[in-house]
Amino acid sequence: MKMPELIELSSNRCFGGYQKVFSHESSELRCQMNFAVYLPPQSEERSLPVIYWLSGLTCTEQNFIQKAGAQRYAAAHGVIIVCPDTSPRGVNLPGEGDSWDFGSGAGFYVDSVTDPWQKHYRMYSYVTKELPDIINTNFPVLADKVSIMGHSMGGHGALICALKNPGKYRSVSAFAPICNPINCPWGKKAFTGYLGVGNILEWQRWDATELVKNYDGPPLDILIDQGVEDQFLKEKQLLPENFVAACQESHTPVVLQMCDGYDHSYYFIASFIGRHIEFHMKHLNATSTLL
């Protein structure tokens, strides 16, 4: 398959490396897409591991790179960080801009099976297939040393990407993920639109709590940080307790850290992004995916 042309939109010196943003034509999403990539100084000398970051509702590729402070840790550890957008852009589907939690900026990292969304809203295939092919072709990455992390909707995305692709990712972590979307208002709205009304079997294929019950791949380490003062935790949008219970049922290791005083914001992410990158580097520096 011919790789799309990358157009460099910005390049900024950052902790000895470069924070860059590129645009390309996506074959999966059938539109122009942006992604950000942080190249630490070590990337000028050798190929490096890569961590994918998936952002949450309303975000673009910009939120994480401007607010999380991850570049400092990526430079210290020698790891590339890739951050895609959160949905197709500019496809002009009816209703895609009507609400903040569905449509534009809210792709939910699924492959839609309903009209009119299925033509463009294929974020799962984009982040697990098309974008990694682009990254592996154009940047000095070690294609067998990959981890994934995300926040909120992106935490849901990171969890399902890891659980649906055993052995593809060395580790997975999340900040305040939507852990059980088939049982929360955000998930029910998104899944109804993208996957079909009442299509529970299809819904379960995109729910981390359901997926982990039947996970039979290589051992997978999962780290979740959750702010105790998160308003969406209190509103039962996130449901980490359901995911932990399912992990215990399937004997899948998970660490859920409840962080006193923290909310759902990037202040929370910036406070703990360092330990997430350290968590992933423990696995990315190992010699086998069978950890």
Side-chain angles (χ1 to χ4, degrees), residues 196-215:
V197 178
N199 191 356
I200 189 63
L201 292 179
E202 183 67 17
W203 288 23
Q204 289 173 338
R205 294 181 57 238
W206 303 98
D207 184 301
T209 296
E210 295 298 320
L211 289 169
V212 79
K213 292 177 182 178
N214 299 304
Y215 180 76

Side-chain angles (χ1 to χ4, degrees), residues 38-159:
Y38 178 67
L39 301 170
Q42 300 92 328
S43 67
E44 298 179 8
E45 301 174 354
R46 64 183 188 275
S47 295
L48 299 174
V50 58
I51 302 174
Y52 286 82
W53 169 271
L54 305 184
S55 291
L57 291 164
T58 76
C59 290
T60 70
E61 78 287 343
Q62 290 290 326
N63 299 70
F64 180 77
I65 66 175
Q66 293 183 15
K67 297 179 179 180
Q71 296 93 339
R72 171 187 175 186
Y73 301 100
H77 289 285
V79 63
I80 291 170
I81 298 182
V82 176
C83 181
D85 202 346
T86 55
S87 77
R89 299 287 176 174
V91 295
N92 300 317
L93 296 181
E96 73 170 349
D98 290 353
S99 59
W100 63 272
D101 55 358
F102 182 81
S104 186
F108 262 84
Y109 304 102
V110 302
D111 284 351
S112 175
V113 296
T114 62
D115 290 327
W117 309 100
Q118 62 183 334
K119 181 179 179 181
H120 297 284
Y121 278 69
R122 296 179 49 81
M123 286 299 294
Y124 170 76
S125 288
Y126 176 70
V127 301
T128 61
K129 299 174 184 177
E130 182 179 7
L131 184 58
D133 285 346
I134 291 171
I135 298 300
N136 294 346
T137 300
N138 291 279
F139 300 96
V141 300
L142 297 169
D144 64 334
K145 292 192 173 185
V146 184
S147 288
I148 191 166
M149 59 182 178
H151 172 231
S152 194
M153 177 185 73
H156 144 77
L159 290 172

Side-chain angles (χ1 to χ4, degrees), residues 159 220-224 243-245 247-248 251-256:
L159 290 172
L220 178 67
D221 273 1
I222 303 171
L223 170 64
I224 297 174
F243 182 73
V244 170
C247 287
Q248 292 172 342
H251 306 289
T252 301
V254 60
V255 174
L256 171 62

